[in-house]
Amino acid sequence: MTQISSNVYYIVEKDTLGCNPLCYLIFGSENKVLLVDTGCGCGNLYFYLKNQAILKDKRFIVVNTHNHPEQIGGNWRFSTTGRFGLAHAVDDLCASRRHKYYTRLLESNWHWTIETYKITRWLKDGEMILLGPDTDSRNVVQVLWTPGHTPDSLVLWYPHDKRLFIGDLFYRFDDIMFTSAKNNR
Ligand SMILES: [Zn+2]
């Protein structure tokens, strides 16, 4: 876990698939933390987070930037189907509401198996995710639908840090990833 501002951290997953996906943590003013994406799921990200001293007693809101296996592979550790449901100290697993069919689709041609998970909160364009009272700017994160890379892509705008969390819209393989733009007319 690496700190990049007073209350934002990132994690690079040392996965066995060579993707090295990024996850981010945004700490609110109280006990809530927003986790952006869950990586490939090679290790147990939930267990890792729960064992960090600064995350002791924190509650998590998890947001997927889009439904690709490098971003959702660890989802089931936080929210699974059936009687186990949301993991302890997890309030919601969120995804964009724009294209629920795409988001629910578990592609069979990915390189590895994605364990089943359950989205518990579908986010609207412009919606605010609050990590505490909105009078404190650390607690306010805005959802912006940005289909282009996938039909269900979103970015998170965090005014407190003047920071955008953009998922794969910018990625090492291309300047800007609008590979699914043709699906968005
Ligand atoms: Zn992607």
Side-chain angles (χ1 to χ4, degrees):
M1 245 172 101
T2 307
Q3 189 168 12
I4 49 177
S5 72
S6 62
N7 63 326
V8 178
Y9 292 71
Y10 76 88
I11 299 165
V12 183
E13 181 182 358
K14 302 277 194 302
D15 62 294
T16 56
L17 302 150
C19 300
N20 302 124
L22 287 162
C23 306
Y24 292 91
L25 291 165
I26 305 171
F27 285 69
S29 66
E30 296 177 356
N31 72 334
K32 279 198 205 298
V33 174
L34 193 153
L35 170 66
V36 184
D37 290 328
T38 61
C40 296
C42 290
N44 188 337
L45 180 61
Y46 177 79
F47 183 77
Y48 171 81
L49 295 176
K50 294 298 287 179
N51 281 283
Q52 301 294 316
I54 56 168
L55 290 166
K56 194 171 173 289
D57 304 324
K58 299 292 186 190
R59 299 197 65 82
F60 294 92
I61 297 174
V62 185
V63 177
N64 292 152
T65 56
H66 62 293
N67 180 21
H68 268 170
E70 303 90 343
Q71 280 75 36
I72 61 158
N75 274 4
W76 66 285
R77 307 267 189 198
F78 297 84
S79 172
T80 187
T81 53
R83 65 196 170 92
F84 297 108
L86 290 165
H88 176 67
V90 176
D91 287 347
D92 267 317
L93 174 61
C94 313
S96 165
R97 177 184 283 276
R98 184 175 185 275
H99 201 308
K100 282 187 178 180
Y101 176 77
Y102 177 87
T103 306
R104 287 191 178 120
L105 202 63
L106 291 175
E107 290 262 21
S108 57
N109 61 356
W110 285 336
H111 308 305
W112 65 94
T113 305
I114 300 296
E115 302 285 346
T116 309
Y117 59 87
K118 183 178 173 57
I119 299 296
T120 61
R121 179 173 167 189
W122 295 95
L123 300 167
K124 295 196 277 282
D125 188 27
E127 184 167 344
M128 299 294 183
I129 300 172
L130 296 179
L131 305 176
D134 64 3
T135 46
D136 187 321
S137 66
R138 284 174 292 178
N139 297 326
V140 182
V141 183
Q142 186 173 26
V143 176
L144 302 170
W145 287 356
T146 49
H149 176 59
T150 65
D152 69 338
S153 292
L154 58 77
V155 305
L156 296 175
W157 167 234
Y158 190 44
H160 175 77
D161 240 16
K162 296 185 175 64
R163 197 179 290 277
L164 274 173
F165 298 89
I166 61 169
D168 282 350
L169 292 190
F170 179 75
Y171 195 47
R172 58 187 163 143
F173 297 130
D174 209 344
D175 291 336
I176 190 157
M177 296 280 272
F178 279 154
T179 38
S180 90
K182 63 183 185 300
N183 299 325
N184 298 309
R185 290 188 191 120

